[in-house]
Amino acid sequence: METDIHFARLLADLPEALVCDEAFLGELAKNAKLISVKKGDYLLRTGELCQDAYFINKGLFINLYVNENGNECVTGFAADNMFPFLSAIGYFTKQPSEFEIKALEAGELLCFSRDHIESLSFRYPLFASYYQNIMLTIIYKLDVLLAVRLSSTAEEFIQFLYTNYAWMINRVPDKYIAHYMGISNAWYCKLKRKVLSFTRTE
């Protein structure tokens, strides 16, 4: 386990006491499933039950809401360098998902079933605390991102992203950030050029 490169990122994120617990590490390795995805693959589709949680070793993903007319709305982002745990609200509600999870890059994930997460949480209270805190932190940060988007002009929000989430500006295709903001791709690109040009001349 300690030499498995597929677990290196997760082990670096876990509390040290868990990393030193051989029994815990054995169960973690035994029940985790390594998944490779291609750009454009879906981890979850509308109407499916979300039974799994993922840790992103490599890759970039978006959460989508698709209405009855087939129109897509981007509701969130997750990547190996930010928000590395990935799931959907249906994981907690145990209801068919109203959201989809799509890969924007080829990637690799560690997949954990709900049963495995619950079993580890029951027998290892430190893991339960860790997992709960990490999920709450992700939800909080995504809520803050949404609040800033709703309370700012488009230009102000792009400046906020550039200041606080430069990786998103540089890595996420423009059209998906435009969808998230609810503006056209052309308008987003115009504002992005303006913000970046102003920032570089400061």
Side-chain angles (χ1 to χ4, degrees), residues 33-137:
K33 182 167 62 174
L34 187 66
I35 294 178
S36 295
V37 296
K38 298 177 182 178
K39 180 179 179 180
D41 283 353
Y42 285 81
L43 293 176
L44 183 69
R45 289 280 198 172
T46 301
E48 295 178 347
L49 288 174
C50 183
Q51 304 278 20
D52 302 307
Y54 304 89
F55 183 86
I56 307 171
N57 277 338
K58 179 183 177 183
L60 172 65
F61 299 82
I62 55 170
N63 283 29
L64 296 166
Y65 174 78
V66 184
N67 69 14
E68 57 187 15
N69 297 320
N71 296 320
E72 292 183 347
C73 172
V74 177
T75 60
F77 305 89
D80 43 46
N81 65 319
M82 181 69 71
F83 314 135
F85 273 98
L86 178 63
S87 195
I89 193 66
Y91 175 88
F92 301 100
T93 64
K94 301 183 181 180
Q95 299 296 315
S97 180
E98 297 181 357
F99 298 89
E100 300 186 333
I101 301 175
K102 180 181 179 180
L104 296 187
E105 299 173 353
E108 178 188 278
L109 309 100
L110 294 173
C111 175
F112 302 94
S113 71
R114 182 201 310 280
D115 289 343
H116 182 219
I117 293 289
E118 290 180 351
S119 176
L120 283 176
S121 296
F122 178 75
R123 285 179 293 110
Y124 297 92
L126 182 57
F127 176 78
S129 176
Y130 161 79
Y131 187 69
Q132 181 182 39
N133 288 339
I134 203 75
M135 295 306 294
L136 288 174
T137 298

Side-chain angles (χ1 to χ4, degrees), residues 165-183:
Y165 298 94
W167 69 269
M168 197 178 293
I169 292 283
N170 295 325
R171 193 170 173 186
V172 177
D174 291 343
K175 68 176 182 178
Y176 291 110
I177 299 182
H179 281 186
Y180 181 74
M181 295 175 63
I183 61 177

Side-chain angles (χ1 to χ4, degrees), residues 12-26:
D13 201 65
L14 287 169
E16 185 177 354
L18 288 176
V19 176
C20 295
D21 189 328
E22 291 298 329
F24 170 81
L25 294 182

